[in-house]
Amino acid sequence: MKPASFQRLLVTSDVELAVLRQSVRTAAITAGFGLVEQTKLVTAASELARNTLLHGGGGYVEMEQVISSAVVGLRLAFVDEGPGIRDVEQAMADGWTSAGGLGLGLSGSRRLVDEFAVDSKPGQGTTVTVVSWAARHRAGRRWDGDSGTGHPGP
């Protein structure tokens, strides 16, 4: 059984990309992410979902709240059944692109989250899993008076 915080969102159109971005932002707010953390996660999610749509032919995202040692986070898994990535290491390099873009999609997304993993098999699809942790909930950190700005309190 999936936890109550589990959501599966389709990524098959630009409209669904917009819904996904809003859903990730709402989940991040609920999990206690500050504004900067929200923005980073939504940016990574938007890029990875667009890759799922453009390169993988569409798919879905599984999103769930996770807790580890009293730290709250969000795990997102972007899944497609497209052509896969032939060379993941090359695809992770800054500047490498298969679609004429800036080549910062995967590598840029990796820098915006705390954990990042790619599982891809040519001809079978790709799953990119990311996890971001809410800083205000990290052990040993004190965040008093945070109004969602991402700034620590006194």
Side-chain angles (χ1 to χ4, degrees), residues 53-79:
L53 181 60
L54 295 178
H55 301 292
Y60 59 90
V61 176
E62 292 182 340
M63 178 172 58
E64 67 181 315
Q65 189 177 82
V66 292
I67 299 173
S68 176
S69 301
V71 181
V72 178
L74 290 173
R75 176 185 297 126
L76 293 92
F78 300 81
V79 181

Side-chain angles (χ1 to χ4, degrees), residues 29-127:
I29 290 167
T30 301
F33 284 57
L35 182 59
V36 171
E37 294 168 311
Q38 293 169 37
T39 302
K40 287 173 148 184
L41 182 57
V42 170
T43 300
S46 181
E47 180 61 37
L48 295 170
R50 181 152 298 285
N51 283 353
T52 299
L53 181 60
L54 295 178
H55 301 292
Y60 59 90
V61 176
E62 292 182 340
M63 178 172 58
E64 67 181 315
Q65 189 177 82
V66 292
I67 299 173
S68 176
S69 301
V71 181
V72 178
L74 290 173
R75 176 185 297 126
L76 293 92
F78 300 81
V79 181
D80 70 60
E81 294 180 359
I85 302 171
R86 281 185 294 221
D87 186 340
V88 172
E89 187 175 329
Q90 181 184 40
M92 293 299 299
D94 284 345
W96 186 86
T97 178
S98 64
L102 296 175
L104 296 173
L106 288 176
S107 62
S109 295
R110 178 177 54 188
R111 287 190 292 273
L112 294 172
V113 297
D114 296 309
E115 299 173 28
F116 187 96
V118 177
D119 180 25
S120 187
K121 295 175 182 62
Q124 297 181 21
T126 300
T127 300

